[in-house]
Amino acid sequence: MLIAGNWKMFRGPEPAELAVRLAGLDGVDVVVCPPYTRLAACAAAGLRTFAQNVHWADEGAFTGEISAGMLQELGVTGAIVGHSERRQLFGETDETVARRAAHALAAGLAVIACVGELETEREAGATEEVLRRQVSVLEPHPSLVVAYEPVWAIGTGRTATPELAQEAHAFIKSLLDVPVLYGGSVKPENAAGLLAQPDVDGALVGGASLDPDSFLRICLAAR
Ligand code: PGA
């Protein structure tokens, strides 16, 4: 089980305090994805630390981007790519997601590649078509994990039912044989039910990861 906390553009918990809270948790892999300014502090505190994005070039004239090597210099060991907020608000496409993922994996970073349908796509019966398109650009790799995050469940308090999550996870795994995390309003109250599904291999937690108590409870539910 992998539980990843995506702090988004929030300062988040104090890394050293969080590390103390999470110490001794066995049977679950825990990752934090803080904003760039806190990556070094999280890594220094002994937390397994991923960035929220990574570029495909080693360096270059790409204002606002960051390379795998630069992240590794800080002790970062992985990155999220293709989060729906990147896709929706910052023009990320399947092609750029694929390039980011492939380069990061080749550079030795672990990757959490996010996929998921919009509410309108689900209503139109296009969920599988969308997932197939998003997953088809990814190559299997031992350090690749997919996060299924239905966009209508992110930050909305609406969570997919465990059955609906299971169905989507099984579909994704039929396309690509990698672990699949669930994301979208995961809270201490619903984590156990989601994580009990056979094809749910962990969670990508947004809002609830900003509160160490909630995050710890979700990690405990994963054991
Ligand atoms: P949420 O975010 O848990 O706040 O819905 C999940 C995510 O965006 O990864």
Side-chain angles (χ1 to χ4, degrees), residues 4 6 8 80 83-85 114 149 153-158 183-187 204-209:
N6 175 12
K8 308 193 178 184
I80 298 173
H83 190 278
S84 67
E85 285 150 16
C114 302
E149 300 206 301
I154 295 179
T156 58
R158 284 175 65 195
S185 299
V186 176
K187 306 281 178 236
L204 182 53
V205 185
S209 72

Side-chain angles (χ1 to χ4, degrees), residues 84-102:
S84 67
E85 285 150 16
R86 301 295 321 168
R87 292 178 190 262
Q88 289 193 282
L89 305 173
F90 301 99
E92 198 78 61
T93 64
D94 292 330
E95 198 215 323
T96 56
V97 172
R99 293 176 80 177
R100 290 180 194 279

Side-chain angles (χ1 to χ4, degrees), residues 42-121:
C42 285
L47 295 164
R48 200 173 156 204
T49 306
F50 286 14
Q52 295 174 17
N53 203 358
V54 59
H55 195 261
W56 55 83
D58 293 331
E59 61 179 6
F62 302 111
T63 302
E65 293 283 339
I66 189 96
S67 74
M70 292 166 184
L71 292 171
Q72 284 163 324
E73 231 177 272
L74 299 177
V76 171
T77 56
I80 298 173
V81 301
H83 190 278
S84 67
E85 285 150 16
R86 301 295 321 168
R87 292 178 190 262
Q88 289 193 282
L89 305 173
F90 301 99
E92 198 78 61
T93 64
D94 292 330
E95 198 215 323
T96 56
V97 172
R99 293 176 80 177
R100 290 180 194 279
H103 188 85
L105 289 164
L109 289 177
V111 166
I112 300 174
C114 302
V115 300
E117 79 286 0
L118 302 172
E119 184 164 34
T120 49
E121 292 167 336

Side-chain angles (χ1 to χ4, degrees), residues 14-32:
E14 283 308 313
E17 284 169 28
L18 185 64
V20 170
R21 298 290 301 276
L22 296 173
L25 249 189
D26 47 11
V28 52
D29 292 325
V30 181
V31 163
V32 293

Side-chain angles (χ1 to χ4, degrees), residues 88-178:
Q88 289 193 282
L89 305 173
F90 301 99
E92 198 78 61
T93 64
D94 292 330
E95 198 215 323
T96 56
V97 172
R99 293 176 80 177
R100 290 180 194 279
H103 188 85
L105 289 164
L109 289 177
V111 166
I112 300 174
C114 302
V115 300
E117 79 286 0
L118 302 172
E119 184 164 34
T120 49
E121 292 167 336
R122 175 159 285 273
E123 280 167 0
T127 299
E128 292 198 345
E129 184 190 325
V130 170
L131 294 177
R132 185 178 286 113
R133 194 195 72 223
Q134 292 175 335
V135 170
S136 69
V137 300
L138 301 168
E139 301 282 343
H141 189 286
S143 300
L144 173 66
V145 170
V146 165
Y148 169 61
E149 300 206 301
V151 178
W152 45 270
I154 295 179
T156 58
R158 284 175 65 195
T159 319
T161 61
E163 295 71 28
L164 192 150
Q166 166 58 29
E167 199 183 322
H169 283 226
F171 180 69
I172 291 166
K173 287 188 187 189
S174 75
L175 304 171
L176 186 69
D177 186 18
V178 297

